[in-house]
């Protein structure tokens, strides 16, 4: 059964999970639960790390699922596939889109096909011999080393020398079998959220000013870890370009409901896309709610809007 959001819709609120972002996911879930209950909806919190909660999801009737999962086994198409089998509508993107956006290598290749600029990179596999000299020739000595399929900057390292890159690669392989080594781009950090299914539209641009050297896990989730300026104090031309590319990335990755694409803008005002998040954070310090508030959409309204998009 599909219900309208303004009725007593029964919502499975799914948060927690088994990824390294479990605590953040639970924080997102707690905020969303409060908002949806304030909107008069029936909310059942479920944690897929608990088998009994998965059994509840399968056994009981739910009209829609609100996904607050981040990282592996939640943002990567795994939970989306289960919900498809159960015929439960859910917030966010589908299986293919979620899996593609979660994989940083696939994301960059899709960016390239769509004509979106992304920093030069090299892809390394754990089972293959690694030629560090070739990597350095491709991306330079100053590089960002990333685990390919982790979120929230888990498994991300900065390196400024050949030896530093080699050491960072070893650390990143601790998070998975594929590592992305990307050229470092010096510039200002921005993010743009997009809302909608067909004809999705970008929300206002946010500039991120991290307390640390870059927007790492601490900067994202610790109080005072970063400042968000929304709308960003940039020219109309740059605003338009960031929003245009965010919408293009949303469409290229076949996102649904919401997405948030992170950017760097260098000293020549060239825009570089870094990654696209299909289930952006919904904590008190998260970026998507900030952008929504800038267009008059309260946190509660945003949560209800995401459910409406799931039920379209």
């Amino acid at each position: 059964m599909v219900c309208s959001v303004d009725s007593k819709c029964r919502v499975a609120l799914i948060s927690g999970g088994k990824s390294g972002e479990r605590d953040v996911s639970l924080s997102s879930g707690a905020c969303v639960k409060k908002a949806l209950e304030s909107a008069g909806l029936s909310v059942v919190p479920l944690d897929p790390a608990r088998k009994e909660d998965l059994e509840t999801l399968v056994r009981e009737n739910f009209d829609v699922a609100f996904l607050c999962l981040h990282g592996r086994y939640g943002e990567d198409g795994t939970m989306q596939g289960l919900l498809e089998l159960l015929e439960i509508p859910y917030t966010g993107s589908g299986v293919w889109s979620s899996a593609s956006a979660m994989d940083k290598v696939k994301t960059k290749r899709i960016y390239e096909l769509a004509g979106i600029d992304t920093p030069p990179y090299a892809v390394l596999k754990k089972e293959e011999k690694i030629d560090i000299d070739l990597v350095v020739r491709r991306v330079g000595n100053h590089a960002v080393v990333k685990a390919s399929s982790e979120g929230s900057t888990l498994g991300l390292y900065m390196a400024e020398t050949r030896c530093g890159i080699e050491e960072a690669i070893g650390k990143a392989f601790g998070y998975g079998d594929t590592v992305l080594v990307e050229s470092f781009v010096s510039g200002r950090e921005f993010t743009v959220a997009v809302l909608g299914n067909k004809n999705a539209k970008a929300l206002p641009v946010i500039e991120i000013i991290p307390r640390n050297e870059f927007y790492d896990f601490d900067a994202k989730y610790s109080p005072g870890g970063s400042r968000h300026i929304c709308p960003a104090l940039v020219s109309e031309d740059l605003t338009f370009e960031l929003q245009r590319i965010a919408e293009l990335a949303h469409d290229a990755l076949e996102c649904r409901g919401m997405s948030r694409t992170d950017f760097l803008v260098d000293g020549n005002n060239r825009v570089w896309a870094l990654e696209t998040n299909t289930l952006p954070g919904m904590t008190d310090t998260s970026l998507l709610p900030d952008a929504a508030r800038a267009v008059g959409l309260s946190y509660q309204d945003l949560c209800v809007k995401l459910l409406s998009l799931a039920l379209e």
Side-chain angles (χ1 to χ4, degrees), residues 174-223:
Y175 289 85
D177 294 337
T178 303
V179 166
L180 178 72
V181 185
E182 190 177 73
S183 295
F184 174 81
V185 174
S186 177
R188 296 165 70 184
E189 299 186 45
F190 297 91
T191 194
V192 182
V194 175
L195 278 183
N197 295 328
K198 294 181 180 179
N199 302 313
K201 297 299 181 184
L203 294 176
V205 176
I206 298 178
E207 181 169 12
I208 302 164
I209 303 177
R211 177 180 59 196
N212 301 335
E213 181 183 359
F214 64 101
Y215 194 49
D216 58 9
F217 192 91
D218 175 66
K220 284 187 176 185
Y221 299 117
S222 297

Side-chain angles (χ1 to χ4, degrees), residues 239-255:
T239 296
F240 174 83
E241 184 67 358
L242 285 162
Q243 291 178 320
R244 181 189 72 82
I245 298 173
E247 291 174 2
L248 181 57
H250 184 94
D251 291 341
L253 285 159
E254 299 182 16
C255 295

Side-chain angles (χ1 to χ4, degrees), residues 37-291:
E37 288 181 337
S38 296
L41 301 177
S42 174
V43 180
V44 179
L46 298 173
D47 183 348
R50 295 164 53 90
K51 288 184 179 180
E52 54 267 41
D53 283 9
L54 288 173
E55 290 171 358
T56 299
L57 181 65
V58 172
R59 185 178 61 250
E60 298 186 12
N61 292 321
F62 293 97
D63 300 303
V64 65
F66 197 115
L67 295 180
C68 288
L69 296 169
H70 307 310
R72 291 185 182 184
Y73 311 116
E75 200 170 354
D76 60 358
T78 305
M79 180 56 65
Q80 290 80 0
L82 174 60
L83 292 167
E84 294 279 355
L85 288 171
L86 297 174
E87 298 183 337
I88 300 174
Y90 53 90
T91 56
S93 296
V95 176
W96 181 88
S97 174
S98 300
S100 299
M102 188 66 194
D103 186 321
K104 294 180 177 65
V105 174
K106 287 184 174 65
T107 298
K108 288 176 81 71
R109 289 172 176 161
I110 292 168
Y111 284 168
E112 290 171 331
L113 289 171
I116 297 171
D117 285 340
T118 190
Y121 64 99
V123 180
L124 307 178
K125 301 286 187 179
K126 184 178 284 188
E127 71 273 11
E128 298 175 356
K129 184 178 179 180
I130 297 170
D131 186 338
I132 294 295
D133 292 326
L134 180 61
V135 171
V136 170
R137 285 198 297 272
R138 185 171 296 175
V139 305
N141 278 312
H142 200 174
V144 185
V145 180
K146 305 175 179 180
S148 180
S149 296
E150 285 287 355
S152 284
T153 65
L154 292 172
L156 183 148
Y157 306 94
M158 307 287 284
E160 297 184 17
T161 64
R162 180 189 181 283
C163 290
I165 291 173
E166 191 168 18
E167 180 181 350
I169 289 169
K171 292 179 181 178
F173 272 131
Y175 289 85
D177 294 337
T178 303
V179 166
L180 178 72
V181 185
E182 190 177 73
S183 295
F184 174 81
V185 174
S186 177
R188 296 165 70 184
E189 299 186 45
F190 297 91
T191 194
V192 182
V194 175
L195 278 183
N197 295 328
K198 294 181 180 179
N199 302 313
K201 297 299 181 184
L203 294 176
V205 176
I206 298 178
E207 181 169 12
I208 302 164
I209 303 177
R211 177 180 59 196
N212 301 335
E213 181 183 359
F214 64 101
Y215 194 49
D216 58 9
F217 192 91
D218 175 66
K220 284 187 176 185
Y221 299 117
S222 297
S226 63
R227 287 197 296 128
H228 303 162
I229 300 176
C230 184
L233 302 177
V234 296
S235 69
E236 288 185 11
D237 287 346
L238 182 54
T239 296
F240 174 83
E241 184 67 358
L242 285 162
Q243 291 178 320
R244 181 189 72 82
I245 298 173
E247 291 174 2
L248 181 57
H250 184 94
D251 291 341
L253 285 159
E254 299 182 16
C255 295
R256 188 177 70 202
M258 59 183 153
S259 70
R260 204 198 74 231
T261 299
D262 298 334
F263 299 97
L264 283 168
V265 177
D266 67 21
N268 297 315
N269 266 3
R270 185 173 181 180
V271 176
W272 300 91
L274 300 178
E275 62 180 75
T276 297
N277 304 275
T278 53
L279 286 179
M282 292 290 288
T283 68
D284 292 336
T285 59
S286 294
L287 294 154
L288 173 59
D290 275 359

